[in-house]
């Protein structure tokens, strides 16, 4: 259910207006379960003041699949999931079973699950899968024309010299599966990454990142090349040893293959990110603008 706010009120009071027959305990539990969004973004505090014309939505209870996969949304054509860090997106020569793709295949059997794009194994966040050939081709075209918007939050080592900018180079992978950056367009594929610094701590920087292209390890290689590898990224030169890679795909916007409606999904940023850096302003980065 969706509701456009007509009077500035705390979130709990708005939910009581939307669901007058539901108990306060139930309404609070929906917020705690990340089922309530405001303008598409997750919200945690029922006391938050919601402004006029903002949209409050209560979403269905999330489905939890094998290997920690969460289904954020699904219909006859599209599945949007949140993948945990450490889980492969798709199978490899060494691992066939423990992947996001295999989790979906088990749950939606006997339907065919089409892989639209990938996230690195150590990256958490949002992914799209298609449930039919038409939807798959639609998304493939959107990725080719850069119409799908993907936003990431990342924590990089050190402090960047510029508060915002764009990294652009050509990426290629060597025989050891390490991706390298070059200015020689004959050696690799063009990769473009936009970034803004939203906050810093003594040692690290919180980055809001928008991908223009989606090459393998793109963000990790570009931050390393800039002299600021991502926290926890041993593969690309990180010096801080942590349990995970600090890269999270938090927002995804696309055109639905059937309805043509523009849909936006957001995944809560893991608490561990805030323990390293407190971003300035909106922690979900929704206010950040890119050129």
């Amino acid at each position: 259910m969706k509701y456009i706010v007509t009077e500035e009120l705390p979130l709990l009071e708005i939910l009581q207006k939307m669901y007058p027959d539901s108990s306060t305990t139930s309404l609070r539990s929906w917020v705690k379960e990340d089922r309530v969004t405001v303008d598409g973004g997750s919200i945690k505090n029922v006391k938050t003041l919601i402004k006029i014309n903002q949209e409050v939505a209560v979403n269905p209870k999330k489905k939890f699949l094998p290997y920690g996969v969460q289904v954020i949304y699904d219909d006859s054509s599209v599945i949007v999931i949140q993948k945990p860090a450490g889980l492969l997106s798709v199978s490899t020569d060494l691992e066939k079973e423990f992947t996001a793709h295999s989790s979906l295949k088990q749950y939606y059997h006997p339907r065919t699950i089409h892989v639209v794009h990938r996230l690195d194994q150590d990256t958490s966040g949002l992914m799209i899968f298609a449930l039919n050939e038409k939807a798959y081709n639609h998304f493939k075209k959107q990725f080719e024309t850069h119409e799908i918007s993907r936003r990431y939050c990342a924590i990089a080592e050190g402090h960047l010299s510029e508060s915002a900018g764009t990294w652009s180079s050509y990426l290629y992978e060597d025989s050891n599966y390490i991706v390298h950056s070059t200015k020689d367009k004959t050696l690799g594929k063009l990769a473009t990454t936009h970034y803004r610094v939203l906050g810093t701590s003594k040692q690290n920087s919180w980055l809001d990142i928008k991908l223009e292209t989606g090459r393998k390890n793109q963000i990790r290689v570009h931050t390393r090349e800039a002299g600021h590898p991502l926290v926890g990224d041993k593969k690309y030169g990180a010096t801080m040893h942590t349990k995970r890679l600090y890269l999270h795909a938090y927002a995804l916007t696309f055109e639905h293959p059937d309805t043509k409606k523009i849909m936006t999904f957001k995944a809560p940023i893991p608490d561990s990110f805030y323990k390293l850096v407190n971003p300035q302003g909106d922690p979900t980065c929704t206010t950040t603008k890119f050129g």
Side-chain angles (χ1 to χ4, degrees):
M1 179 177 180
K2 296 182 179 180
Y3 176 80
I4 303 299
V5 176
T6 57
E7 180 183 4
E8 192 171 282
L9 291 168
L11 177 61
L12 182 58
E13 291 186 35
I14 292 172
L15 292 175
Q16 289 169 335
K17 283 177 174 287
M18 295 170 65
Y19 297 93
D21 297 328
S22 296
S23 68
T24 299
T25 300
S26 293
L27 300 177
R28 287 178 180 275
S29 70
W30 296 351
V31 174
K32 187 176 180 180
E33 294 166 1
D34 282 327
R35 292 178 56 191
V36 179
T37 60
V38 175
D39 289 341
S42 178
I43 192 162
K44 291 284 191 180
N45 193 338
V46 294
K47 296 180 181 179
T48 301
L49 200 63
I50 310 304
K51 298 177 181 178
I52 294 173
N53 292 327
Q54 286 192 294
E55 181 185 81
V56 176
V58 177
N59 303 301
K61 193 169 184 178
K62 295 174 183 177
K63 301 173 184 176
F64 290 85
L65 277 54
Y67 319 137
V69 172
Q70 286 186 35
V71 175
I72 307 299
Y73 172 87
D74 66 351
D75 58 28
S76 60
S77 296
V78 179
I79 305 171
V80 179
I81 70 162
Q82 179 168 275
K83 184 188 81 67
L87 183 69
L88 287 165
S89 296
V90 299
S91 64
T92 66
D93 292 340
L94 299 176
E95 180 55 67
K96 304 293 184 184
E97 180 181 353
F98 297 103
T99 71
H101 188 211
S102 66
S103 177
L104 293 174
K105 288 193 292 184
Q106 291 177 43
Y107 186 83
Y108 290 93
H109 181 79
R111 302 195 66 180
T112 300
I113 309 297
H114 298 267
V115 178
V116 174
H117 66 124
R118 294 166 172 77
L119 285 180
D120 291 346
Q121 180 176 2
D122 295 323
T123 302
S124 56
L126 297 172
M127 293 182 65
I128 314 168
F129 289 84
L131 279 166
N132 55 60
E133 197 73 26
K134 176 188 172 184
Y136 170 75
N137 289 329
H138 178 82
F139 286 129
K140 183 179 179 181
K141 182 178 179 181
Q142 284 194 77
F143 270 105
E144 289 173 350
T145 54
H146 311 308
E147 294 176 69
I148 292 181
S149 174
R150 285 171 291 169
R151 300 277 286 271
Y152 293 72
C153 64
I155 297 183
E157 294 186 352
H159 296 159
L160 282 71
S161 59
E162 301 291 338
S163 62
T166 297
W167 295 307
S168 188
S169 65
Y170 296 89
L171 303 185
Y172 67 93
E173 187 175 18
D174 66 23
S175 58
N176 293 316
Y177 307 108
I178 304 296
V179 178
H180 300 272
S181 176
T182 178
K183 295 300 181 183
D184 187 344
K185 63 182 180 181
T186 65
L187 296 179
K189 294 182 178 180
L190 180 64
T192 302
T193 306
H194 305 285
Y195 73 90
R196 285 190 181 276
V197 179
L198 294 191
T200 59
S201 65
K202 186 176 181 180
Q203 293 180 298
N204 305 308
S205 298
W206 181 299
L207 307 182
D208 186 16
I209 291 173
K210 181 179 180 181
L211 288 184
E212 189 169 315
T213 57
R215 310 302 181 196
K216 181 179 179 181
N217 296 170
Q218 177 175 324
I219 296 171
R220 300 165 66 181
V221 174
H222 275 163
T223 53
R224 189 273 305 273
E225 186 177 37
H228 301 280
L230 298 185
V231 172
D233 195 357
K234 298 177 184 177
K235 184 177 180 179
Y236 291 104
T239 58
M240 288 185 66
H241 300 295
T242 57
K243 292 182 179 180
R244 67 157 294 168
L245 171 68
Y246 278 78
L247 182 61
H248 178 71
Y250 78 87
L252 190 60
T253 300
F254 58 83
E255 180 189 83
H256 193 281
D258 301 326
T259 66
K260 308 307 178 186
K261 179 182 177 181
I262 302 299
M263 305 184 75
T264 296
F265 296 90
K266 294 188 175 71
I269 296 168
D271 291 340
S272 58
F273 281 59
Y274 297 98
K275 293 178 181 179
L276 292 181
V277 181
N278 286 315
Q280 299 167 358
D282 183 354
T284 62
C285 313
T286 54
T287 58
T288 306
K289 304 297 182 184
F290 292 90

